[in-house]
C-alpha cells in the first residue's frame, strides 16, 4: 500500500482542466477538434448501469461540441491532443449562462409580487425578467468571447493510450 | 417575507433533495469527482429546476386541474422538463457557441435527473402558490448544488487519501455521503422562533 500523504499536501486542483480530443479538420491556421469524452459521468464506476451516459455520446452531440484552436503545433488530421481550459472559465461560463437570467427572473418576479400580489402578473414579469437576463447574458458572453476567456488551449500531443483519467 | 425565507431554508437544508429525499443520486455520484464539474452541474440544475417549476405550475393550474387531467401529470411534467432542457440548450447555444461547448455537457444529464421531476411533483402535492413554488424549487436546487459542491470537495480530498483497498472508490464515497446525510439531519432539529 502506498505511503499516506502528509497532511500538508496541496489539495488544490490544477489550474487547467485537461481533456483529450481528436483533430478532425484543418482549416488554414486553425485545427478543428472533437472531444473524446463528452459526458462527465460516462466513465464512472457505475457507467454500465447509468442511463445518463448514452445521451451525451451520440455522434451528433460530438459534432456539436467541435471546437477550433490555433494550429501553431502543425497538427495533422487524426492526431490526439491534450487541450485545456482555465479552471475559472467554467465558473464564469456557468455564472453567465445560468445565474444572470435566473437573478433577473427572480428580481422581476419578486418586484411584481410585491407591487401587484397577483400570480399571473408575477408569472408574466418572470418571463420578461428571463428575456432581459438572457439579453444581458448574451452581452456578457460576447465580451468574454472577444477577450478570448472562453477559448480552449492546446497543451500537448497525447501520449499513446493516454486517457482523461491517466 | 419570513415564510418565504423559511420555505427556501427548509427546501435547501432540512428536506435536502439529495440527503433528505434521496433524489438525484446518479449525478451526485457521477459528476462530483471534480469541484468545477459539480459547480457547472449545480448551476445548470438550478436554472432548469426553476424554469420547470414555473412551467409546471402554469400548466398544472391552467390546464390539468381545470380540465380534470390530473392522471396525465407525470407524463406532462416529463415533457415539460425535457422541453425546459431543450430550451436551455438552444438558448445557451444562441447566446454563445463557446459557452455551449463548455457547458452543454451537463444539460442532457438533467433530463434524466429524477430530482427535477420529484420537485415538480412535490410542488403540486404541496398546493403551493406560484411564488412559493418558484422559491421552493429554487431552494431545493440550491440545496442540491450545495451538496454536490461539498461532496465534490470531499471526494477531491479522498482521491489523495490512503483509503483501505476494500473501501476505495464508490464504497468510501457512499460512506462519506451517508455521514453528510447524518450531518444534514441536524438541521431538522432547528426550530423557527
Amino acid at each position: 500500500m502506498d505511503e499516506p500523504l502528509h497532511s500538508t499536501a496541496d489539495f488544490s486542483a490544477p489550474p487547467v482542466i485537461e481533456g483529450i480530443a481528436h483533430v478532425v479538420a484543418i482549416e488554414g491556421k486553425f485545427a478543428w477538434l472533437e472531444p473524446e469524452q463528452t459526458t462527465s459521468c460516462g466513465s464512472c464506476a457505475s457507467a454500465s448501469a447509468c442511463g445518463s451516459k448514452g445521451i451525451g455520446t451520440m455522434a451528433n452531440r460530438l459534432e456539436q461540441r467541435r471546437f477550433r484552436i490555433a494550429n501553431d503545433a502543425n497538427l495533422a488530421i487524426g492526431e490526439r491532443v491534450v487541450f485545456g481550459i482555465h479552471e475559472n472559465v467554467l465558473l464564469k461560463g456557468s455564472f453567465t449562462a445560468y445565474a444572470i437570467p435566473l437573478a433577473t427572473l427572480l428580481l422581476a418576479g419578486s418586484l411584481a409580487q410585491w407591487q401587484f400580489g397577483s400570480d399571473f402578473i408575477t408569472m408574466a414579469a418572470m418571463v420578461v425578467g428571463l428575456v432581459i437576463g438572457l439579453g444581458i447574458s448574451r452581452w456578457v458572453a460576447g465580451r468574454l468571447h472577444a477577450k478570448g476567456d472562453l477559448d480552449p488551449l492546446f497543451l500537448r500531443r497525447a501520449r499513446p493510450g493516454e486517457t482523461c483519467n491517466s | 417575507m419570513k415564510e418565504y425565507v423559511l420555505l427556501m431554508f427548509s427546501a435547501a437544508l432540512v428536506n435536502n433533495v439529495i440527503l433528505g429525499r434521496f433524489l438525484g443520486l446518479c449525478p451526485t455520484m457521477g459528476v462530483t469527482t471534480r469541484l468545477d464539474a459539480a459547480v457547472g452541474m449545480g448551476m445548470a440544475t438550478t436554472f432548469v429546476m426553476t424554469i420547470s417549476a414555473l412551467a409546471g405550475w402554469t400548466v398544472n393550474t391552467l390546464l390539468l386541474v381545470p380540465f380534470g387531467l390530473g392522471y396525465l401529470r407525470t407524463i406532462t411534467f416529463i415533457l415539460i422538463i425535457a422541453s425546459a432542457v431543450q430550451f436551455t440548450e438552444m438558448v445557451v447555444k444562441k447566446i454563445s457557441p463557446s459557452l455551449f461547448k463548455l457547458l452543454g455537457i451537463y444539460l442532457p444529464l438533467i433530463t434524466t435527473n429524477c430530482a427535477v421531476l420529484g420537485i415538480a411533483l412535490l410542488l403540486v402535492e404541496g398546493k403551493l402558490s406560484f411564488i412559493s413554488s418558484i422559491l421552493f424549487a429554487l431552494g431545493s436546487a440550491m440545496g442540491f448544488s450545495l451538496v454536490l459542491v461539498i461532496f465534490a470537495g470531499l471526494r477531491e480530498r479522498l482521491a489523495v487519501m490512503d483509503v483501505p483497498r476494500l473501501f476505495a472508490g464508490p464504497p468510501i464515497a457512499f460512506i462519506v455521503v451517508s455521514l453528510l446525510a447524518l450531518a444534514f439531519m441536524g438541521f431538522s432539529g432547528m426550530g423557527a422562533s
Side-chain angles (χ1 to χ4, degrees), chain A residues 3-14, chain B residues 153 156-162:
Chain A
E3 281 294 304
L5 290 168
H6 194 265
S7 60
T8 55
D10 181 15
F11 292 111
S12 60
Chain B
E156 280 196 352
R157 284 181 170 238
L158 271 179
V160 292
M161 289 290 172
D162 182 35

Side-chain angles (χ1 to χ4, degrees), chain B residues 48-191:
Chain B
V48 171
M49 217 182 250
T50 311
I51 298 289
S52 301
L54 194 157
W57 188 93
T58 310
V59 170
N60 187 60
T61 309
L62 300 181
L63 281 177
L64 300 182
V65 173
F67 294 102
L69 299 171
Y71 60 94
L72 290 175
R73 190 165 291 132
T74 306
I75 198 156
T76 309
F77 282 179
I78 291 171
L79 273 173
I80 287 172
I81 292 162
S83 309
V85 170
Q86 195 63 35
F87 166 78
T88 311
E89 197 165 294
M90 279 163 53
V91 165
V92 174
K93 202 172 176 181
K94 189 79 182 162
I95 288 174
S96 166
S98 310
L99 272 185
F100 175 73
K101 287 182 177 80
L102 198 67
L103 305 171
I105 191 170
Y106 305 109
L107 290 168
L109 297 174
I110 299 171
T111 318
T112 54
N113 186 346
C114 60
V116 184
L117 179 64
I119 292 301
L121 292 171
L122 278 169
L123 292 177
V124 175
E125 208 175 275
K127 295 184 172 63
L128 298 172
S129 69
F130 179 71
I131 195 81
S132 301
S133 299
I134 300 294
L135 293 177
F136 182 83
L138 180 71
S140 299
M142 285 165 71
F144 179 84
S145 307
L146 178 72
V147 171
L148 284 193
V149 169
I150 293 174
F151 192 42
L154 290 169
R155 284 186 84 176
E156 280 196 352
R157 284 181 170 238
L158 271 179
V160 292
M161 289 290 172
D162 182 35
V163 178
R165 196 166 294 166
L166 192 64
F167 291 105
I172 191 72
F174 275 112
I175 291 169
V176 168
V177 85
S178 66
L179 292 174
L180 209 52
L182 278 175
F184 267 67
M185 276 175 72
F187 288 115
S188 59
M190 291 173 71

Side-chain angles (χ1 to χ4, degrees), chain A residues 1-5 11 13-14 16-17 32 37-41 44-46 50-53 55-56 61 64-67 85 87 89-91 93-99 101-102 105-106 109-110 113 119-120 122-123 126-127 130 134 137-138 141 145 150-151, chain B residues 4 26 29-31 33-34 36-37 39-41 43-44 46-47 50-51 54 57-58 61-62 86-89 91-96 98-109 111-113 129-131 134-135 138 156-157 160-165 170:
Chain A
M1 199 175 281
D2 296 334
E3 281 294 304
L5 290 168
F11 292 111
V16 173
I17 304 163
W32 284 91
Q37 192 192 5
T38 54
T39 63
S40 40
C41 71
C44 79
S46 54
C50 178
S52 302
K53 65 158 188 153
I55 296 168
R61 198 156 269 290
Q64 282 179 0
R65 300 199 59 238
R66 281 183 186 179
F67 58 92
I85 52 167
E87 202 183 38
V89 169
L90 195 63
L91 204 61
S94 300
F95 181 81
T96 307
Y98 304 123
L102 206 54
L105 177 149
L106 291 168
S110 307
Q113 182 72 19
D119 281 348
F120 293 99
T122 306
M123 199 187 302
M126 280 189 167
V127 174
L130 179 65
L134 292 173
S137 287
R138 192 174 183 171
H145 186 67
L150 302 174
D151 295 340
Chain B
Y4 291 142
C26 187
M29 295 304 290
V31 298
T33 46
R34 285 194 66 106
D36 42 69
V39 172
M41 181 69 175
M43 290 190 90
T46 304
F47 186 77
T50 311
I51 298 289
L54 194 157
W57 188 93
T58 310
T61 309
L62 300 181
Q86 195 63 35
F87 166 78
T88 311
E89 197 165 294
V91 165
V92 174
K93 202 172 176 181
K94 189 79 182 162
I95 288 174
S96 166
S98 310
L99 272 185
F100 175 73
K101 287 182 177 80
L102 198 67
L103 305 171
I105 191 170
Y106 305 109
L107 290 168
L109 297 174
T111 318
T112 54
N113 186 346
S129 69
F130 179 71
I131 195 81
I134 300 294
L135 293 177
L138 180 71
E156 280 196 352
R157 284 181 170 238
V160 292
M161 289 290 172
D162 182 35
V163 178
R165 196 166 294 166

Side-chain angles (χ1 to χ4, degrees), chain A:
Chain A
M1 199 175 281
D2 296 334
E3 281 294 304
L5 290 168
H6 194 265
S7 60
T8 55
D10 181 15
F11 292 111
S12 60
V16 173
I17 304 163
E18 293 185 6
I20 294 183
H22 275 100
V23 181
V24 289
I26 302 290
E27 205 178 81
K29 289 180 179 173
F30 296 97
W32 284 91
L33 305 181
E34 200 172 89
E36 269 188 4
Q37 192 192 5
T38 54
T39 63
S40 40
C41 71
S43 58
C44 79
S46 54
S48 59
C50 178
S52 302
K53 65 158 188 153
I55 296 168
T57 53
M58 294 185 302
N60 65 335
R61 198 156 269 290
L62 269 174
E63 221 172 272
Q64 282 179 0
R65 300 199 59 238
R66 281 183 186 179
F67 58 92
R68 198 176 72 162
I69 57 168
N71 189 11
D72 299 328
N74 288 323
L75 298 171
I77 294 175
E79 270 192 293
R80 292 173 80 231
V81 298
V82 179
F83 67 95
I85 52 167
H86 286 295
E87 202 183 38
N88 63 350
V89 169
L90 195 63
L91 204 61
K92 272 187 198 171
S94 300
F95 181 81
T96 307
Y98 304 123
I100 294 175
L102 206 54
T104 53
L105 177 149
L106 291 168
L107 184 68
S110 307
L111 285 174
Q113 182 72 19
W114 172 63
Q115 197 69 28
F116 303 104
S118 157
D119 281 348
F120 293 99
I121 294 175
T122 306
M123 199 187 302
M126 280 189 167
V127 174
V128 173
L130 179 65
V131 173
I132 293 170
L134 292 173
I136 298 171
S137 287
R138 192 174 183 171
W139 178 72
V140 175
R143 284 194 61 178
L144 287 174
H145 186 67
K147 278 165 57 183
D149 282 1
L150 302 174
D151 295 340
L153 314 161
F154 167 75
L155 298 179
R156 62 178 186 276
R157 286 181 165 83
R159 292 184 299 274
E162 183 176 356
T163 65
C164 290
N165 301 318
S166 63

